[in-house]
Amino acid sequence: LSSEILLFQEYELTRVQQAQASARRVAQRTLIGMVAGGILTIVLATITLITIFRRVLFPLTELHTGVEALRQGDLNYNIPVLYQNEVGMLASTLNDMAARLQQTLQGMEQNLEELRKTQESLRRSEEHYRNLYNGVPVGLFRSTKDGKVIEANQSMADMLAYPDQATLLSSNSTNFYTDPQDRLTWQEMIHQKDETLHFDASMRRYDGKIIWVRENSRVVMDDNGEIAYYEGSLEDITELKEAEDAIQKLNAELEQRVI
């Protein structure tokens, strides 16, 4: 019986040892599986992070760099389109906007250059006209219906002995005539035919001297059909009038001598 008990104890001990060995093997396999799973998880997470960085973070960084360049005025900067996703579509849209804006700015620069040339041409034309306007040997003027002088050249200021054009422009043409009725007669004539030719009248200069002038003028109407202003020219014919008076006196003297 004792030997049988010993055999049974040895058998049970062997089974326990086998069970312990089996448990150790299972534990080892479990640990290896857990370690392998952890490593796989880390690898997958790393791959996921790299993918996110490459497909999201890096394009966003490029997009931010491009937006900053465009904000600084560098319209030649081209944002890389790395992937055909939302970020890539946004980058393409910004590139298209920058290209259109650059074309618009180039067109504006060309228009501004043409405008500058046009303004320069107009300035030269105006300067040429102004020199011609002030350089003609006859007085040129514009005046309102009530006589206010709104424009006059230097020749007219010289003819009427005004110190400058500004003083002439501050005066009223009604006061030029030695006989105020002459201006009323001139207005009646110009209203009848819209112009007057060879209207002679005597005028008082700024220094008080009396001269004779020949006036050619016309009416300028506004959009409502009302008189906007008169414009015309004055020619000093004082010497001609004096010559005519001398001839008339001479003729009268000759007639008396003939008689």
Side-chain angles (χ1 to χ4, degrees), residues 100-140:
R100 290 196 298 269
L101 181 58
Q102 189 173 32
Q103 292 177 353
T104 301
L105 290 177
Q106 290 175 351
M108 291 178 63
E109 290 177 356
Q110 292 177 355
N111 292 335
L112 288 175
E113 180 63 19
E114 292 177 359
L115 179 60
R116 186 193 65 79
K117 292 180 180 179
T118 301
Q119 289 177 337
E120 179 63 20
S121 178
L122 288 174
R123 186 194 64 79
R124 289 196 299 267
S125 298
E126 182 180 1
E127 183 179 359
H128 177 73
Y129 162 76
R130 187 60 56 184
N131 292 335
L132 180 64
Y133 180 76
N134 286 317
V136 294
V138 295
L140 301 177

Side-chain angles (χ1 to χ4, degrees), residues 9-241:
Q9 289 178 345
E10 290 178 357
Y11 172 76
E12 290 296 328
L13 179 61
T14 301
R15 290 185 59 190
V16 169
Q17 291 176 348
Q18 291 176 348
Q20 289 177 346
S22 177
R24 283 196 296 270
R25 287 195 298 272
V26 171
Q28 289 176 353
R29 286 197 297 269
T30 302
L31 180 61
I32 293 172
M34 291 178 62
V35 172
I39 294 174
L40 181 60
T41 301
I42 294 173
V43 171
L44 291 176
T46 302
I47 293 174
T48 302
L49 289 175
I50 293 174
T51 302
I52 293 174
F53 177 79
R54 291 183 59 189
R55 298 185 64 88
V56 179
L57 296 181
F58 185 69
L60 284 176
T61 301
E62 290 291 333
L63 183 65
H64 175 74
T65 302
V67 170
E68 185 64 21
L70 295 177
R71 189 178 70 84
Q72 296 294 333
D74 184 7
L75 299 180
N76 293 318
Y77 188 88
N78 190 62
I79 303 174
V81 181
L82 302 177
Y83 300 98
Q84 296 300 323
N85 53 16
E86 290 80 0
V87 178
M89 293 175 59
L90 182 57
S92 297
T93 301
L94 289 176
N95 288 335
D96 293 340
M97 289 176 59
R100 290 196 298 269
L101 181 58
Q102 189 173 32
Q103 292 177 353
T104 301
L105 290 177
Q106 290 175 351
M108 291 178 63
E109 290 177 356
Q110 292 177 355
N111 292 335
L112 288 175
E113 180 63 19
E114 292 177 359
L115 179 60
R116 186 193 65 79
K117 292 180 180 179
T118 301
Q119 289 177 337
E120 179 63 20
S121 178
L122 288 174
R123 186 194 64 79
R124 289 196 299 267
S125 298
E126 182 180 1
E127 183 179 359
H128 177 73
Y129 162 76
R130 187 60 56 184
N131 292 335
L132 180 64
Y133 180 76
N134 286 317
V136 294
V138 295
L140 301 177
F141 70 91
R142 284 178 177 172
S143 65
T144 62
K145 188 176 180 180
D146 59 0
K148 178 176 175 56
V149 181
I150 56 178
E151 190 171 351
N153 66 349
Q154 185 60 43
S155 296
M156 185 169 175
D158 296 337
M159 183 186 304
L160 297 177
Y162 276 80
D164 49 51
Q165 289 175 273
T167 306
L168 178 60
L169 293 176
S170 65
S171 61
N172 192 293
S173 61
T174 303
N175 299 326
F176 297 163
Y177 297 87
T178 55
D179 183 359
Q181 184 62 38
D182 286 344
R183 188 173 192 277
L184 296 177
T185 302
W186 169 76
Q187 280 185 305
E188 291 176 2
M189 294 174 61
I190 200 171
H191 291 169
Q192 290 174 0
K193 298 182 179 181
D194 292 334
E195 66 177 3
T196 59
L197 299 175
H198 305 298
F199 180 80
D200 297 344
S202 61
M203 290 188 175
R204 180 177 291 102
R205 302 198 320 177
Y206 188 77
D207 57 6
K209 181 180 178 180
I210 304 299
I211 62 172
W212 278 90
V213 299
R214 177 162 292 168
E215 188 170 355
N216 298 299
S217 53
R218 70 185 187 96
V219 175
V220 177
M221 313 299 288
D222 60 18
D223 294 337
N224 298 321
E226 301 292 335
I227 296 176
Y229 52 83
Y230 307 120
E231 67 178 8
S233 63
L234 290 181
E235 181 182 0
D236 188 347
I237 60 170
T238 302
E239 293 182 357
L240 178 60
K241 281 292 185 180

